[in-house]
């Protein structure tokens, strides 16, 4: 049999609180500065294209994607997708987000090691995320009914697969931090934003970065919970 108690869920509480705060923070910060236009009148799409050109990158397409804060760079197709609230907006928040996503395109062009590692992990991480919990449940059922070591082995394999998602979330952190750093530096370097406008842009990107920290914290806490619950058998 395996020990099970809802007390193990207390491990998640600090990380969940951080996640809720991070989502609230990024939403409120983006909304605040999405109402403040940059003094030079650039749109998010214009900034992205000009930053790409300045970096000598001419094979990345900038296009609009539906939704709010759905902005992302797809290295497979070399496509930089900006959401409706960023693509045609002149707000400081939009400029910051557009520059951040452009930072990912520049990372890809330069062969940034953490981006390459994260991209290489995507297939295995997807497999691990989809199979981890079903395997753990199956292992618990087998172990609970028969008390067999086979059930325990399945559980441990599920935990290993889950750890891939944790590793992915940790590797994501330097990728995101570096993209934000590049964004602030280039926005100032090419005078897209004034010094006074760079501060709120940095606040937007810092709030966004906090969501990745919170995601990693939740993933680590879940892994710790699984290890505490199933790290040993109670024969």
């Amino acid at each position: 049999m395996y020990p099970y108690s809802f007390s193990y869920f207390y491990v998640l509480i600090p990380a969940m609180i951080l996640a809720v705060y991070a989502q609230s923070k990024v939403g409120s910060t983006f909304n605040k500065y999405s109402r403040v236009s940059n003094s030079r009148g650039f749109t998010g799409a214009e900034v992205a294209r000009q930053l790409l050109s300045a970096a000598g990158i001419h094979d990345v397409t900038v296009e609009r994607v539906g939704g709010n804060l759905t902005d992302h760079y797809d290295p497979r197709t070399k496509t930089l997708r900006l959401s409706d609230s960023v693509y045609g907006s002149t707000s400081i928040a939009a400029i910051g987000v557009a520059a951040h996503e452009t930072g990912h395109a520049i990372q890809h062009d330069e062969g940034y090691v953490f981006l390459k590692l994260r991209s290489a992990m995507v297939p295995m991480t997807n497999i691990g995320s989809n199979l981890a919990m079903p395997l753990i449940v199956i292992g618990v059922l087998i172990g609970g009914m028969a008390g067999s070591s086979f059930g325990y082995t399945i559980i441990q394999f599920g935990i290993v697969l889950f750890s891939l998602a944790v590793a992915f979330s940790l590797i994501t952190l330097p990728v995101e931090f570096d993209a934000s750093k590049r964004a602030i530096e280039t926005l100032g370097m090419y005078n897209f934003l004034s010094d006074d406008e760079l501060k709120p842009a940095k606040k937007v990107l810092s709030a966004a970065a906090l969501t990745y920290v919170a995601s990693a914290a939740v993933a680590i806490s879940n892994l710790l919970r699984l290890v505490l619950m199933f790290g040993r058998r109670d024969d």
Side-chain angles (χ1 to χ4, degrees), residues 171-223:
I171 291 171
T172 294
L173 295 180
V175 175
E176 297 300 329
F177 292 156
D178 179 75
S180 291
K181 179 182 177 182
R182 291 171 186 263
I184 296 301
E185 289 177 350
T186 54
L187 287 174
M189 182 187 306
Y190 296 110
N191 295 314
F192 286 109
L193 295 179
S194 67
D195 290 341
D196 289 340
E197 292 169 335
L198 284 173
K199 294 178 181 178
K202 189 172 183 178
K203 288 181 180 180
V204 171
L205 297 184
S206 295
L210 185 60
T211 64
Y212 291 100
V213 173
S215 178
V218 170
I220 292 170
S221 298
N222 267 309
L223 179 60

Side-chain angles (χ1 to χ4, degrees), residues 2 142-143 146-155 233:
Y2 302 98
I142 293 175
S148 68
S149 60
F150 181 58
Y152 180 74
T153 300
I154 293 177
I155 290 174
R233 286 184 293 173

Side-chain angles (χ1 to χ4, degrees), residues 16 20 23 28 48 56 99 102 110 124 134 145 160 170 208 215:
M16 295 301 295
V20 171
Q23 287 297 327
S28 61
T102 307
E110 294 179 354
M124 284 302 298
M145 291 186 294
V160 169
L170 291 174
S215 178

Side-chain angles (χ1 to χ4, degrees), residues 2 25 47 163 202:
Y2 302 98
K25 183 69 174 177
V47 167
S163 69
K202 189 172 183 178

Side-chain angles (χ1 to χ4, degrees), residues 29-47 68-69 71 83-99 187 192-193 197-198 200-202 204-205:
T29 305
F30 183 85
N31 288 337
K32 178 179 179 179
Y33 294 111
S34 66
R35 295 190 291 269
V36 182
S37 294
N38 71 86
S39 59
R40 291 170 174 80
F42 291 111
T43 66
E46 288 172 342
V47 167
N68 184 42
L69 294 179
D71 314 85
S83 64
D84 292 331
S85 57
V86 171
Y87 187 92
S89 174
T90 60
S91 73
I92 292 175
I95 300 305
V97 171
L187 287 174
F192 286 109
L193 295 179
E197 292 169 335
L198 284 173
K202 189 172 183 178
V204 171
L205 297 184

Side-chain angles (χ1 to χ4, degrees), residues 128-139:
S129 298
N130 291 329
L131 293 181
M133 294 312 296
L135 283 175
I136 290 172
V137 171
I138 291 171

